[in-house]
Amino acid sequence: LAMRVAEIVGGTLYGSMAVVADGWHMATHAAALAIAALAYRYARQHAGNPRFSFGTGKVGDLAGFASAVSLAIVSVLIAAESVHRLIHPQDIDFLQAGGIAVLGLIVNLVSARMLHHDHDEAEDDDHEHHHDTNLRAAYLHVLADALTSVLAILGLLAGWYLGWIWMDAAAGLLGAAVIAHWSMGLARTAGRSLLD
């Protein structure tokens, strides 16, 4: 949450659409992790509830589907603002915005490593190697944001060294496209499980 605020405020102050987009996408991480935590808690609390004829196993898949939808919405918002910045370029403080983007990448890589470790442990504990869609959704959120951080850094470097200010907005568009692609894949996976 702290990194999200830093990226949104810093990206706005320093004029970088890519950093602002990264910050807003990071905001979805907080939501995804909260959804995942609430889904696990709800499933455990109601595991023996007779209202759930087939148990609460699909609660995690429902949370994963909700995360996929939130990723899709964020990708549309990022794309719209990036197009606006392509049409109406703004001055960018490349050095300051780049520093924030690098810090965001570090936070995302550490988070991804932690979630990947938890996912490996969850699979090791499950003899059938059932894939946890809810945990996968949280992991994909963090990976998607790490990618947007890399794109932000590349866009800022191109703007700083080559004078291609439009690369900042182009990095935002490319990040939006990748996030949308991942959200569709996650929605399909969670949807299949929900309908099974």
Side-chain angles (χ1 to χ4, degrees), residues 140-179:
L140 285 179
H141 269 271
V142 175
L143 280 185
D145 199 55
L147 177 65
T148 59
S149 294
V150 169
L151 292 173
I153 292 165
L154 293 175
L156 289 166
L157 286 173
W160 189 14
Y161 287 112
L162 303 173
W164 297 350
I165 295 175
W166 57 269
M167 281 294 291
D168 182 65
L173 274 175
L174 185 57
V178 171
I179 293 166

Side-chain angles (χ1 to χ4, degrees), residues 9-182:
V9 172
T12 301
L13 288 175
Y14 302 127
S16 173
M17 178 56 222
V19 174
V20 170
D22 196 21
W24 279 111
H25 185 248
M26 192 173 275
T28 67
H29 294 171
L33 292 172
I35 288 169
L38 289 172
Y40 286 129
R41 183 175 178 204
Y42 184 86
R44 284 188 192 117
Q45 285 179 339
H46 298 280
N49 190 326
R51 287 184 312 149
F52 296 99
S53 302
F54 299 102
T56 57
K58 300 283 185 183
V59 171
D61 294 311
L62 184 59
F65 190 82
S67 290
V69 171
S70 71
L71 267 175
I73 292 169
V74 166
S75 70
V76 169
L77 295 174
I78 291 171
E81 184 60 26
S82 296
V83 168
H84 177 75
R85 295 283 179 107
L86 280 172
I87 297 168
H88 305 289
Q90 296 183 0
D91 290 333
I92 301 170
D93 184 335
F94 295 106
L95 188 59
Q96 298 292 341
I100 293 171
V102 168
L103 184 57
L105 177 61
I106 292 168
V107 168
N108 285 310
L109 292 176
V110 169
S111 298
R113 181 66 191 130
M114 290 169 61
L115 285 170
H116 185 65
H117 178 69
D118 288 347
H119 184 264
D120 286 347
E121 284 182 357
E123 284 194 349
D124 288 343
D125 290 343
D126 187 349
H127 299 296
E128 296 177 5
H129 295 287
H130 172 71
H131 296 285
D132 187 330
T133 307
N134 192 21
L135 188 57
R136 182 171 177 259
Y139 179 63
L140 285 179
H141 269 271
V142 175
L143 280 185
D145 199 55
L147 177 65
T148 59
S149 294
V150 169
L151 292 173
I153 292 165
L154 293 175
L156 289 166
L157 286 173
W160 189 14
Y161 287 112
L162 303 173
W164 297 350
I165 295 175
W166 57 269
M167 281 294 291
D168 182 65
L173 274 175
L174 185 57
V178 171
I179 293 166
H181 176 72
W182 283 357

